[in-house]
């Protein structure tokens, strides 16, 4: 479904990505692991064109793109097939949970409001928040806010969902509810690319693990049950707690 080749990205002369290759097949749950500063988030943002790579090539759904020169129209077409879940939720504070989920459907996809509301309520139900549809972000917990963000992501029925450390802003007791929703999405066969420090999620849910260090992919493995020893996880700063998984 997705292949990126030789992505490079520098900020102020500091090379963050040094030629990264990555492949994602349909139905894969790929966990990207590694220490802070390894380039994980930069890689994810470049793949979704939230940052412009200095160089690199993408093949998405059979379509080939130069990542440094892709135009707005090409990027928009790719984004229609993807969703992005941010670390800090990125919800509109002046909109309800339902309003946040509906916004992209109505504004970007020009969907009739009645249909957008139907899809939005179904997405909130999927993440266990039907009863919070009319609540504003400051009226719900961080874990519930992130579940609203996931509902927003799945409402457009994307071909792939990108998660950028979706539990990093949450207290440990709220992390489990978000990971449970992600486990359910994985069980449905959703294709997911997840930057995470959660060892339990990577071990129990991922179909492929990618370890990054110093701007490079240094190790790629099968599903997360086959880690190359806890020492790499500890070195990468990965959380060992399973949070009930």
């Amino acid at each position: 479904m997705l292949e990126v080749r030789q992505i490079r990205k520098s900020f102020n002369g500091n090379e963050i990505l040094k030629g990264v290759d990555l492949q994602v097949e349909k139905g894969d749950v790929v966990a990207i692991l590694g220490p802070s500063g390894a380039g994980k988030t930069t890689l994810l943002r470049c793949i979704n064109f939230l940052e412009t790579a200095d160089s690199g090539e993408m093949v998405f759904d059979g379509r080939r793109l130069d990542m440094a020169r892709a135009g707005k129209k090409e990027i928009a077409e790719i984004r229609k097939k993807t969703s992005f879940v941010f670390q800090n939720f990125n919800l509109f504070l002046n909109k309800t949970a339902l309003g946040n989920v509906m916004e992209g459907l109505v504004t970007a996809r020009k969907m009739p409001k009645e249909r957008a509301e139907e899809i939005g309520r179904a997405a909130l139900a999927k993440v266990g928040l039907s009863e919070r549809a009319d609540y504003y972000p400051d009226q719900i917990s961080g874990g519930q806010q992130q579940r609203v963000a996931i509902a927003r992501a799945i409402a457009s029925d994307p071909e792939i969902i990108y998660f950028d450390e979706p539990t990093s802003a949450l207290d440990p007791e709220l992390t489990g509810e978000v990971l449970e929703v992600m486990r359910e999405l994985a069980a449905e066969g959703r294709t997911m690319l997840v930057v995470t420090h959660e060892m339990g999620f990577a071990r129990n849910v991922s179909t492929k693990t990618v370890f990054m260090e110093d701007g490079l992919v240094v190790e790629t493995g099968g599903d997360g049950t086959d880690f190359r020893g806890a020492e790499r996880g500890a070195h990468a700063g990965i959380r060992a707690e399973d949070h009930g998984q």
Side-chain angles (χ1 to χ4, degrees):
M1 176 179 288
L2 171 70
E3 182 177 5
V4 293
R5 302 170 184 149
Q6 289 299 297
I7 299 183
R8 294 183 178 272
K9 178 66 178 177
S10 297
F11 292 101
N12 301 318
N14 182 24
E15 193 173 30
I16 305 300
L17 300 178
K18 302 178 180 179
V20 176
D21 297 335
L22 182 70
Q23 284 186 312
V24 182
E25 304 293 340
K26 184 175 177 60
D28 270 353
V29 179
V30 181
I32 303 178
L33 309 166
S36 296
K40 306 182 300 297
T41 289
T42 299
L43 173 62
L44 205 63
R45 290 178 66 85
C46 284
I47 289 174
N48 204 40
F49 297 98
L50 295 172
E51 301 283 355
T52 301
D54 297 330
S55 62
E57 182 179 67
M58 171 185 288
V59 179
F60 187 96
D61 236 1
R63 180 170 185 172
R64 192 177 306 273
L65 290 174
D66 182 329
M67 297 182 68
R69 295 180 175 84
K72 289 183 179 180
K73 183 178 179 180
E74 292 175 305
I75 292 171
E77 289 175 356
I78 292 290
R79 284 185 176 163
K80 284 181 180 178
K81 301 179 180 181
T82 70
S83 290
F84 199 103
V85 177
F86 297 86
Q87 294 182 35
N88 294 312
F89 325 138
N90 280 26
L91 300 178
F92 294 107
L93 299 181
N94 64 335
K95 292 184 180 295
T96 63
L98 179 59
N100 270 279
V101 177
M102 289 174 58
E103 179 66 20
L105 301 176
V106 173
T107 303
R109 297 175 184 263
K110 311 301 182 185
M111 186 179 292
K113 286 188 177 181
E114 294 79 8
R115 177 59 177 154
E117 180 175 349
E118 181 182 342
I119 292 173
R121 290 189 182 278
L124 286 171
K126 186 176 285 288
V127 300
L129 289 176
S130 292
E131 76 286 357
R132 295 289 188 269
D134 297 324
Y135 284 58
Y136 289 87
D138 63 358
Q139 296 175 312
I140 57 179
S141 70
Q144 289 171 332
Q145 289 183 59
Q146 191 62 294
R147 284 192 279 154
V148 171
I150 294 173
R152 177 179 61 189
I154 63 177
S156 60
D157 195 23
E159 294 185 23
I160 184 169
I161 306 175
Y162 304 117
F163 292 84
D164 182 17
E165 299 198 33
T167 61
S168 66
L170 301 178
D171 293 333
E173 62 268 22
L174 300 178
T175 295
E177 65 188 58
V178 173
L179 295 179
E180 176 61 28
V181 169
M182 293 174 67
R183 272 200 302 273
E184 291 171 0
L185 294 178
E188 293 175 1
R190 293 270 185 179
T191 307
M192 300 157 60
L193 185 57
V194 186
V195 170
T196 184
H197 284 98
E198 298 291 343
M199 178 73 92
F201 176 85
R203 181 187 298 119
N204 297 332
V205 182
S206 69
T207 59
K208 180 191 292 183
T209 53
V210 174
F211 289 96
M212 290 186 65
E213 201 164 35
D214 194 27
L216 292 166
V217 172
V218 296
E219 186 176 314
T220 302
D223 66 39
T225 62
D226 185 29
F227 280 93
R228 300 274 180 96
E231 68 278 359
R232 177 172 287 282
H235 176 66
I238 301 167
R239 298 182 191 176
E241 308 96 288
D242 283 350
H243 294 294
Q245 297 170 78

